[in-house]
Amino acid sequence: MKPLFIGFFFLFISVFQSYACLCSCSSDCTFSTVSSKSEFVALVKIISYNDYLGRKILGHEGKMPYSMTVQVIKKYKGKESREEIIIYGDNGMLCRPYIATFEIGSYYLMAPRLLGNKAWKGEDKEAYDLSSSSVSYLYVDMENHMAYGEFTGYKKEIHLE
């Protein structure tokens, strides 16, 4: 019985480790690389939270927002023509950042992905998401026109120009 238990224990651990690694990045995952491969890159302002998860998220007080509306301030790349877009976050198992990461009224430089056929049940196919396995957004200080985060492996801030 003991060898059977030990076998199941190691099987469980290996499956858990495999799942835990699904959200990791294996190459250059900086914003510079991600945005160069992205179809859409924009400076955005967080306008509102829209939907909320129906369950509690460990470590978060209150309801966890599931989607947000952002205003496109300046488009750097892409064909998106809408002034406002929806971005979905994580529901606990999607390798996306939680929407509560983004403060309403704040600005970000983002390289979101159009959901299309990858939309989960209840999500709008014309909406976007962000990856938590790579750097798909940078915080922006509008007063100084600077973006902060992992732009490249050695450059942690860039001017918006």
Side-chain angles (χ1 to χ4, degrees):
M1 184 72 163
K2 191 174 183 179
L4 185 60
F5 174 75
I6 292 171
F8 278 121
F9 176 75
F10 283 113
L11 178 65
F12 173 76
I13 294 298
S14 67
V15 169
F16 178 74
Q17 287 178 334
S18 295
Y19 177 75
C21 294
L22 291 176
C23 293
S24 64
C25 182
S26 60
S27 62
D28 181 0
C29 302
T30 62
F31 188 80
S32 176
T33 300
V34 170
S35 62
S36 70
K37 295 176 182 178
S38 181
E39 292 183 16
F40 177 50
V41 179
L43 171 64
V44 302
K45 179 180 181 181
I46 311 303
I47 301 298
S48 65
Y49 299 147
N50 304 329
D51 305 310
Y52 291 83
L53 297 176
R55 60 188 175 84
K56 190 130 176 78
I57 298 296
L58 186 64
H60 179 73
E61 292 291 323
K63 292 182 178 180
M64 174 63 74
Y66 182 51
S67 70
M68 63 183 170
T69 298
V70 303
Q71 178 184 6
V72 178
I73 304 298
K74 181 177 181 178
K75 182 173 63 172
Y76 291 96
K77 181 180 177 183
K79 298 178 182 177
E80 180 60 65
S81 61
R82 294 175 286 179
E83 292 181 15
E84 292 183 353
I85 59 172
I86 303 293
I87 298 178
Y88 284 96
D90 200 5
N91 64 8
M93 62 181 181
L94 294 176
C95 295
R96 299 174 181 168
Y98 285 112
I99 293 298
T101 302
F102 305 96
E103 188 177 327
I104 294 174
S106 294
Y107 294 83
Y108 295 86
L109 190 57
M110 291 187 171
R113 304 174 295 199
L114 184 65
L115 288 177
N117 292 330
K118 297 176 294 201
W120 280 70
K121 183 180 179 183
E123 294 180 341
D124 181 354
K125 290 182 178 185
E126 298 299 315
Y128 289 84
D129 74 352
L130 297 164
S131 173
S132 64
S133 64
S134 58
V135 182
S136 55
Y137 62 91
L138 301 174
Y139 173 76
V140 172
D141 176 352
M142 288 299 287
E143 192 172 304
N144 294 312
H145 301 283
M146 296 292 291
Y148 299 95
E150 193 174 351
F151 182 71
T152 65
Y154 59 90
K155 197 170 192 178
K156 305 299 182 212
E157 62 184 41
I158 59 165
H159 200 275
L160 288 180
E161 302 305 316

Short mmCIF file of all heavy atoms in Angstrom, two decimals, residues 9-36:
data_model
loop_
_atom_site.label_atom_id
_atom_site.label_comp_id
_atom_site.label_asym_id
_atom_site.label_seq_id
_atom_site.Cartn_x
_atom_site.Cartn_y
_atom_site.Cartn_z
N PHE A 9 1.56 10.01 -5.07
CA PHE A 9 2.07 11.30 -4.59
C PHE A 9 2.98 11.94 -5.64
O PHE A 9 2.83 13.11 -5.98
CB PHE A 9 2.81 11.11 -3.27
CG PHE A 9 3.44 12.36 -2.75
CD1 PHE A 9 2.66 13.35 -2.17
CD2 PHE A 9 4.81 12.58 -2.87
CE1 PHE A 9 3.23 14.53 -1.69
CE2 PHE A 9 5.39 13.74 -2.40
CZ PHE A 9 4.60 14.72 -1.82
N PHE A 10 3.94 11.17 -6.17
CA PHE A 10 4.86 11.72 -7.17
C PHE A 10 4.13 12.05 -8.48
O PHE A 10 4.46 13.03 -9.15
CB PHE A 10 6.04 10.78 -7.41
CG PHE A 10 7.06 10.85 -6.30
CD1 PHE A 10 7.26 9.78 -5.46
CD2 PHE A 10 7.79 12.02 -6.10
CE1 PHE A 10 8.19 9.86 -4.44
CE2 PHE A 10 8.71 12.10 -5.07
CZ PHE A 10 8.91 11.02 -4.23
N LEU A 11 3.15 11.26 -8.84
CA LEU A 11 2.35 11.55 -10.02
C LEU A 11 1.60 12.87 -9.84
O LEU A 11 1.60 13.73 -10.73
CB LEU A 11 1.35 10.42 -10.30
CG LEU A 11 0.42 10.63 -11.50
CD1 LEU A 11 1.23 10.68 -12.80
CD2 LEU A 11 -0.61 9.53 -11.55
N PHE A 12 1.00 13.07 -8.67
CA PHE A 12 0.29 14.31 -8.37
C PHE A 12 1.22 15.51 -8.43
O PHE A 12 0.91 16.53 -9.02
CB PHE A 12 -0.37 14.22 -6.99
CG PHE A 12 -0.99 15.52 -6.55
CD1 PHE A 12 -2.20 15.93 -7.08
CD2 PHE A 12 -0.36 16.33 -5.61
CE1 PHE A 12 -2.77 17.13 -6.68
CE2 PHE A 12 -0.92 17.53 -5.21
CZ PHE A 12 -2.14 17.92 -5.75
N ILE A 13 2.39 15.39 -7.81
CA ILE A 13 3.37 16.48 -7.80
C ILE A 13 3.82 16.81 -9.22
O ILE A 13 3.91 17.98 -9.60
CB ILE A 13 4.59 16.13 -6.91
CG1 ILE A 13 4.16 16.03 -5.45
CG2 ILE A 13 5.71 17.14 -7.08
CD1 ILE A 13 3.61 17.31 -4.87
N SER A 14 4.06 15.81 -10.05
CA SER A 14 4.52 16.08 -11.42
C SER A 14 3.43 16.75 -12.24
O SER A 14 3.72 17.65 -13.04
CB SER A 14 5.01 14.80 -12.10
OG SER A 14 3.93 13.91 -12.32
N VAL A 15 2.18 16.35 -12.05
CA VAL A 15 1.08 16.99 -12.76
C VAL A 15 0.92 18.43 -12.28
O VAL A 15 0.77 19.35 -13.08
CB VAL A 15 -0.25 16.21 -12.55
CG1 VAL A 15 -1.44 17.01 -13.04
CG2 VAL A 15 -0.16 14.87 -13.27
N PHE A 16 1.01 18.65 -10.97
CA PHE A 16 0.90 20.00 -10.42
C PHE A 16 2.01 20.89 -10.95
O PHE A 16 1.78 22.03 -11.35
CB PHE A 16 0.93 19.96 -8.89
CG PHE A 16 0.86 21.32 -8.26
CD1 PHE A 16 -0.32 22.03 -8.24
CD2 PHE A 16 2.00 21.91 -7.72
CE1 PHE A 16 -0.38 23.30 -7.68
CE2 PHE A 16 1.95 23.17 -7.16
CZ PHE A 16 0.76 23.86 -7.14
N GLN A 17 3.23 20.39 -10.98
CA GLN A 17 4.35 21.18 -11.49
C GLN A 17 4.17 21.50 -12.96
O GLN A 17 4.48 22.58 -13.41
CB GLN A 17 5.67 20.46 -11.25
CG GLN A 17 6.10 20.48 -9.80
CD GLN A 17 7.39 19.72 -9.58
OE1 GLN A 17 7.74 18.82 -10.34
NE2 GLN A 17 8.09 20.08 -8.52
N SER A 18 3.65 20.56 -13.73
CA SER A 18 3.40 20.81 -15.16
C SER A 18 2.38 21.91 -15.32
O SER A 18 2.53 22.80 -16.14
CB SER A 18 2.90 19.54 -15.85
OG SER A 18 3.89 18.56 -15.83
N TYR A 19 1.31 21.85 -14.53
CA TYR A 19 0.28 22.88 -14.62
C TYR A 19 0.83 24.23 -14.19
O TYR A 19 0.58 25.24 -14.82
CB TYR A 19 -0.94 22.51 -13.76
CG TYR A 19 -1.99 23.58 -13.76
CD1 TYR A 19 -2.81 23.76 -14.86
CD2 TYR A 19 -2.14 24.44 -12.68
CE1 TYR A 19 -3.77 24.77 -14.88
CE2 TYR A 19 -3.08 25.44 -12.68
CZ TYR A 19 -3.90 25.59 -13.79
OH TYR A 19 -4.85 26.58 -13.82
N ALA A 20 1.61 24.25 -13.13
CA ALA A 20 2.17 25.51 -12.62
C ALA A 20 3.09 26.16 -13.64
O ALA A 20 3.25 27.36 -13.65
CB ALA A 20 2.91 25.26 -11.32
N CYS A 21 3.70 25.38 -14.52
CA CYS A 21 4.63 25.92 -15.50
C CYS A 21 3.93 26.39 -16.77
O CYS A 21 4.58 26.94 -17.65
CB CYS A 21 5.68 24.87 -15.86
SG CYS A 21 6.75 24.46 -14.47
N LEU A 22 2.66 26.14 -16.91
CA LEU A 22 1.96 26.53 -18.13
C LEU A 22 1.98 28.04 -18.35
O LEU A 22 1.90 28.49 -19.48
CB LEU A 22 0.51 26.04 -18.10
CG LEU A 22 0.31 24.54 -18.19
CD1 LEU A 22 -1.16 24.19 -18.05
CD2 LEU A 22 0.88 23.98 -19.47
N CYS A 23 2.09 28.82 -17.31
CA CYS A 23 2.07 30.28 -17.44
C CYS A 23 3.46 30.88 -17.49
O CYS A 23 3.62 32.08 -17.36
CB CYS A 23 1.29 30.90 -16.28
SG CYS A 23 -0.45 30.50 -16.32
N SER A 24 4.47 30.07 -17.66
CA SER A 24 5.83 30.61 -17.70
C SER A 24 6.24 30.87 -19.14
O SER A 24 5.68 30.34 -20.08
CB SER A 24 6.81 29.65 -17.03
OG SER A 24 6.85 28.43 -17.74
N CYS A 25 7.23 31.72 -19.29
CA CYS A 25 7.73 32.10 -20.60
C CYS A 25 9.11 31.50 -20.79
O CYS A 25 9.93 31.54 -19.88
CB CYS A 25 7.78 33.62 -20.69
SG CYS A 25 8.33 34.21 -22.29
N SER A 26 9.38 30.98 -21.98
CA SER A 26 10.66 30.30 -22.20
C SER A 26 11.63 31.09 -23.09
O SER A 26 12.69 30.60 -23.42
CB SER A 26 10.40 28.92 -22.80
OG SER A 26 9.72 29.07 -24.04
N SER A 27 11.25 32.28 -23.52
CA SER A 27 12.16 33.06 -24.36
C SER A 27 12.20 34.51 -23.85
O SER A 27 11.93 34.75 -22.70
CB SER A 27 11.70 33.00 -25.82
OG SER A 27 10.42 33.57 -25.96
N ASP A 28 12.51 35.46 -24.71
CA ASP A 28 12.53 36.87 -24.34
C ASP A 28 11.09 37.36 -24.22
O ASP A 28 10.41 37.51 -25.21
CB ASP A 28 13.30 37.68 -25.37
CG ASP A 28 13.37 39.16 -25.03
OD1 ASP A 28 12.83 39.58 -23.99
OD2 ASP A 28 13.97 39.91 -25.81
N CYS A 29 10.66 37.60 -23.01
CA CYS A 29 9.26 37.95 -22.76
C CYS A 29 9.10 39.40 -22.33
O CYS A 29 8.13 39.75 -21.66
CB CYS A 29 8.70 37.01 -21.70
SG CYS A 29 8.82 35.30 -22.20
N THR A 30 10.05 40.23 -22.68
CA THR A 30 9.99 41.64 -22.32
C THR A 30 8.97 42.36 -23.19
O THR A 30 8.55 41.86 -24.23
CB THR A 30 11.37 42.30 -22.50
OG1 THR A 30 11.75 42.22 -23.87
CG2 THR A 30 12.41 41.64 -21.62
N PHE A 31 8.57 43.55 -22.75
CA PHE A 31 7.56 44.30 -23.49
C PHE A 31 8.03 44.63 -24.91
O PHE A 31 7.24 44.58 -25.85
CB PHE A 31 7.19 45.59 -22.76
CG PHE A 31 6.03 46.30 -23.41
CD1 PHE A 31 4.73 45.88 -23.17
CD2 PHE A 31 6.24 47.37 -24.26
CE1 PHE A 31 3.65 46.52 -23.77
CE2 PHE A 31 5.17 48.01 -24.87
CZ PHE A 31 3.87 47.58 -24.62
N SER A 32 9.29 44.92 -25.07
CA SER A 32 9.82 45.23 -26.40
C SER A 32 9.58 44.08 -27.38
O SER A 32 9.10 44.29 -28.49
CB SER A 32 11.32 45.52 -26.30
OG SER A 32 11.87 45.73 -27.58
N THR A 33 9.87 42.87 -26.96
CA THR A 33 9.68 41.69 -27.82
C THR A 33 8.20 41.40 -28.01
O THR A 33 7.75 41.16 -29.13
CB THR A 33 10.39 40.47 -27.22
OG1 THR A 33 11.78 40.78 -27.12
CG2 THR A 33 10.20 39.24 -28.06
N VAL A 34 7.44 41.41 -26.92
CA VAL A 34 6.00 41.12 -26.99
C VAL A 34 5.30 42.12 -27.90
O VAL A 34 4.51 41.74 -28.77
CB VAL A 34 5.37 41.11 -25.58
CG1 VAL A 34 3.85 41.04 -25.66
CG2 VAL A 34 5.92 39.95 -24.77
N SER A 35 5.58 43.40 -27.73
CA SER A 35 4.91 44.43 -28.53
C SER A 35 5.32 44.38 -30.00
O SER A 35 4.52 44.68 -30.88
CB SER A 35 5.14 45.82 -27.95
OG SER A 35 6.51 46.15 -27.97
N SER A 36 6.55 43.98 -30.28
CA SER A 36 6.98 43.89 -31.68
C SER A 36 6.26 42.76 -32.41
O SER A 36 6.05 42.84 -33.62
CB SER A 36 8.50 43.69 -31.77
OG SER A 36 8.87 42.42 -31.31
#
